[in-house]
């Protein structure tokens, strides 16, 4: 009897394990549908949405965390003005300068006339004209200052109105995002109860892997709205009402991004140096190695890897291999051969140098979003994602596992094949 019970238990365990496997095609479809719904709600059902370029990774699933959906910052805030404008500086008084200019010209004319002294009566008349001119110019100066003050006051009123509209739009969009999470979040069907759905500002013109250097510009004062899948499902099942479900959603409106801790910054610097053009033995980093830290998830590093440069009209140079003037076929074959070493070296380097990272909170991860060099028809992936959990680092430091075991615990996901 115990034997059969054990067999049944094993079958249930296997079935549960298989059920937890994510079907990437289904997940991709669910994410596209979810992003489309979110776009429509935020953009008030307008037909103009974000780019449909398949390279634009606006959404992503991260095992152990959940789903991140992107929201364009420009659509949330609407306007780029601020009511905190400095007061208008005083207008310079140009009337005195103009009056003096006239007088200099008049004095030159007097000097060029007869050498006889100007009669007192004529001199008095001239001084009278000059006084009247100064008075007239002063009046015009006062009128200009008054008109400038009125214009500035009107501009301030307009800016305050636009700030008010911006805030109303931001509140409306936050409500739309919350409604989206409660009413449509369940459409991402493969998520676990422990997962989260995070809607976070990113630029609609920044591809998730390519142009990684621009990610650094998106890190301050971002809107983010986060919900637990468990709470969404509880609402859908009628276990909690809408008011309670909303209260469990976390809305971040102003969150200053903290700089990476020193150990993470040092780790980032080391990896970046290892994959510099002059040191790498395979592919090298293009455009820096920006990082993004998300509380509860960990740190995402972006690596845009390239392999070669153009040489002439149809030749190629591969700097890390000191190869020059290769044909397209020779270049592609070399890049294809280098890929296995690149993948293996990246695993090794991450494990070796991440051992000095101590500030990563428990439950978080080091995540590497890697854009692999272009090589059409080479059978290598377009992208890689590597995830290393803080628990693995902790076990490695304590000696519970060795580096080889730690490397096996890195989760590696590959994108579409080129």
């Amino acid at each position: 009897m115990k034997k059969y019970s054990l067999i049944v238990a094993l079958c249930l365990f296997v079935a549960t394990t298989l059920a937890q496997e994510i079907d990437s095609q289904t997940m991709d479809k669910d994410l596209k549908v979810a992003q489309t719904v979110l776009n429509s709600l935020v953009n008030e059902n307008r037909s103009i949405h974000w780019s449909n370029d398949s390279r634009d990774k606006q959404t992503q699933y991260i095992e152990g965390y959940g789903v991140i959906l992107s929201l364009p910052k420009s659509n949330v805030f609407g306007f780029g003005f601020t009511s905190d404008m400095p007061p208008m500086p005083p207008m310079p008084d140009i009337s005195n300068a103009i009056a003096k200019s006239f007088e200099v010209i008049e004095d030159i004319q007097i000097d060029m006339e007869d050498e006889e002294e100007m009669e007192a009566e004529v001199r008095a008349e001239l001084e009278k004209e000059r006084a009247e001119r100064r008075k007239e110019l002063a009046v015009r100066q006062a009128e200009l200052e008054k008109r400038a003050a009125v214009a500035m006051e009107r501009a301030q009123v307009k800016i305050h109105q636009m700030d008010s509209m911006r805030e109303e739009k931001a509140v409306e969009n936050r409500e739309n995002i919350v409604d989206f999470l409660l009413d449509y979040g369940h459409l991402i069907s493969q998520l676990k109860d422990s997962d989260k759905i995070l809607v976070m500002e990113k630029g609609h013109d920044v591809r998730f892997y390519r142009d990684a250097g621009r990610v650094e510009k998106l890190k301050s004062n971002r809107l983010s709205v986060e919900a637990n899948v468990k709470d969404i499902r509880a609402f859908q099942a009628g276990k909690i009402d809408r008011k309670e479900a909303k209260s469990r959603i976390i809305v971040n409106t102003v969150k200053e991004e903290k700089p990476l801790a020193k150990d993470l910054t040092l780790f980032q610097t080391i990896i970046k140096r290892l994959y510099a053009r002059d040191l790498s033995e395979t592919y090298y980093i293009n455009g820096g190695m920006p990082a993004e830290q998300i509380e509860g998830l960990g740190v995402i590093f972006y690596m845009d890897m390239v392999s070669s440069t153009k040489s002439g009209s149809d030749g190629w140079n591969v700097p890390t291999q000191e190869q020059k003037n290769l044909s397209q076929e020779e270049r592609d074959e070399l890049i294809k051969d280098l890929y296995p070493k690149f993948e293996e070296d990246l695993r090794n380097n991450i494990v070796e140098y991440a051992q000095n990272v101590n500030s990563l909170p428990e439950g978080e991860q080091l995540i590497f979003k890697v854009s692999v060099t272009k090589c059409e028809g080479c059978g290598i992936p377009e992208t890689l994602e590597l995830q290393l959990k803080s628990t693995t680092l902790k076990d490695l430091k304590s000696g519970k596992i060795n580096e080889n075991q730690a490397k096996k615990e890195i989760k590696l996901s590959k994108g579409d094949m080129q």
Side-chain angles (χ1 to χ4, degrees):
M1 185 66 181
K2 289 182 178 179
K3 178 179 178 181
Y4 290 115
S5 297
L6 180 60
I7 293 174
V8 170
L10 285 172
C11 290
L12 288 173
F13 174 77
V14 171
T16 303
T17 303
L18 290 175
Q20 291 176 345
E21 289 293 325
I22 295 296
D23 183 302
S24 59
Q25 290 186 343
T26 301
M27 178 61 75
D28 185 56
K29 181 188 72 174
D30 288 351
L31 292 181
K32 287 179 179 177
V33 171
Q35 187 73 64
T36 300
V37 173
L38 176 62
N39 291 357
S40 183
L41 286 172
V42 172
N43 287 279
E44 300 174 339
N45 295 313
R46 289 177 294 176
S47 59
I48 300 175
H49 299 313
W50 298 317
S51 169
N52 291 321
D53 191 333
S54 61
R55 297 170 299 177
D56 291 344
K57 304 297 183 180
Q58 294 293 337
T59 64
Q60 54 179 315
Y61 166 73
I62 298 177
E63 184 179 350
Y65 181 81
V67 163
I68 300 176
L69 303 173
S70 294
L71 186 70
K73 188 170 184 177
S74 58
N75 281 353
V76 176
F77 288 97
F79 304 100
F81 298 97
T82 173
S83 58
D84 300 326
M85 291 182 64
M88 185 180 72
M91 180 176 290
D93 187 351
I94 61 173
S95 61
N96 189 51
I98 294 175
K100 285 186 176 180
S101 298
F102 275 110
E103 291 167 8
V104 168
I105 294 173
E106 288 171 343
D107 289 339
I108 293 173
Q109 290 176 337
I110 292 172
D111 290 340
M112 293 175 65
E113 292 179 355
D114 295 337
E115 295 182 359
E116 298 180 0
E117 293 185 1
M118 181 181 288
E119 296 180 3
E121 187 177 339
V122 176
R123 171 69 69 179
E125 185 67 25
L126 179 60
E127 292 298 331
K128 182 180 178 181
E129 290 178 1
R130 288 181 173 181
E132 290 177 352
R133 183 191 301 146
R134 284 179 176 274
K135 183 178 179 180
E136 181 182 352
L137 290 171
V139 170
R140 292 184 181 180
Q141 174 76 22
E143 289 177 351
L144 285 174
E145 290 178 356
K146 184 177 179 180
R147 289 172 63 184
V150 170
M152 186 65 179
E153 183 178 354
R154 289 176 178 174
Q156 286 280 11
V157 171
K158 186 65 176 178
I159 290 171
H160 279 289
Q161 289 175 344
M162 297 182 79
D163 279 346
S164 178
M165 292 170 61
R166 178 182 64 180
E167 181 56 32
E168 289 175 7
K169 182 64 177 176
V171 171
E172 178 187 346
N173 279 338
R174 290 197 290 271
E175 288 297 318
N176 286 336
I177 297 167
V178 169
D179 290 341
F180 159 77
L181 290 169
L182 293 180
D183 297 330
Y184 299 97
H186 67 284
L187 296 178
I188 309 175
S189 57
Q190 297 185 83
L191 295 178
K192 303 173 185 177
D193 282 351
S194 58
D195 286 336
K196 300 175 182 179
I197 301 178
L198 174 66
V199 178
M200 183 176 65
E201 284 178 352
K202 280 183 177 289
H204 68 281
D205 60 342
V206 177
R207 289 177 287 175
F208 196 77
Y209 292 97
R210 304 287 179 184
D211 303 324
R214 300 188 63 188
V215 177
E216 289 288 353
K217 299 178 181 179
L218 307 171
K219 292 170 56 176
S220 61
N221 295 333
R222 290 178 302 172
L223 169 70
S224 66
V225 185
E226 180 182 309
N228 292 315
V229 173
K230 182 179 180 180
D231 295 333
I232 294 173
R233 288 176 176 161
F235 168 71
Q236 287 290 324
K239 296 179 180 179
I240 58 176
D241 61 20
R242 195 174 194 87
K243 183 177 180 181
E244 173 62 23
K246 281 187 174 184
S247 70
R248 298 183 184 184
I249 292 177
I250 300 173
V251 178
N252 244 331
T253 54
V254 179
K255 181 181 179 182
E256 292 290 346
E257 193 75 13
K258 296 180 181 178
L260 290 180
K262 289 183 179 180
D263 56 344
L264 286 165
T265 301
L266 180 59
F267 170 72
Q268 177 189 31
T269 302
I270 291 172
I271 297 297
K272 182 179 176 181
R273 184 67 187 94
L274 287 173
Y275 287 96
R277 186 170 177 168
D278 64 329
L279 205 58
S280 175
E281 296 180 355
T282 53
Y283 312 146
Y284 58 95
I285 287 181
N286 176 44
M289 185 180 168
E292 195 171 27
Q293 191 162 19
I294 301 175
E295 186 177 350
L297 172 61
V299 182
I300 303 175
F301 295 103
Y302 297 86
M303 300 174 69
D304 186 9
M305 307 305 300
V306 295
S307 61
S308 47
T309 59
K310 271 284 188 179
S311 173
S313 58
D314 54 1
W316 290 91
N317 296 335
V318 181
T320 61
Q321 303 300 301
E322 298 183 351
Q323 297 286 332
K324 296 183 179 181
N325 299 319
L326 299 179
S327 66
Q328 184 72 55
E329 293 76 15
E330 291 172 331
R331 178 262 184 195
D332 290 352
E333 189 63 32
L334 178 56
I335 300 313
K336 179 179 178 181
D337 291 342
L338 287 175
Y339 176 77
K341 178 173 174 55
F342 166 72
E343 183 182 308
E344 182 62 23
D345 285 352
L346 185 56
R347 282 178 180 267
N348 294 338
N349 289 328
I350 290 172
V351 168
E352 181 177 355
Y353 294 102
Q355 295 181 59
N356 295 317
V357 173
N358 300 305
S359 63
L360 192 66
E362 189 168 348
E364 295 192 359
Q365 309 172 66
L366 297 178
I367 300 171
F368 299 81
K369 296 282 188 180
V370 184
S371 170
V372 180
T373 183
K374 292 182 179 180
C375 190
E376 294 182 9
C378 293
I380 63 176
E382 291 182 349
T383 59
L384 290 178
E385 180 179 305
L386 298 91
Q387 295 174 278
L388 178 61
K389 296 180 179 180
S390 60
T391 51
T392 301
L393 286 177
K394 184 178 179 180
D395 290 343
L396 180 60
K397 292 172 189 174
S398 66
K400 290 183 179 180
I401 60 175
N402 58 35
E403 289 191 6
N404 287 330
Q405 291 171 315
K407 283 186 286 186
K408 292 179 181 178
E409 292 190 17
I410 292 179
K411 178 176 173 54
L412 176 68
S413 302
K414 298 182 181 182
D416 295 337
M417 293 295 173
Q418 300 187 59

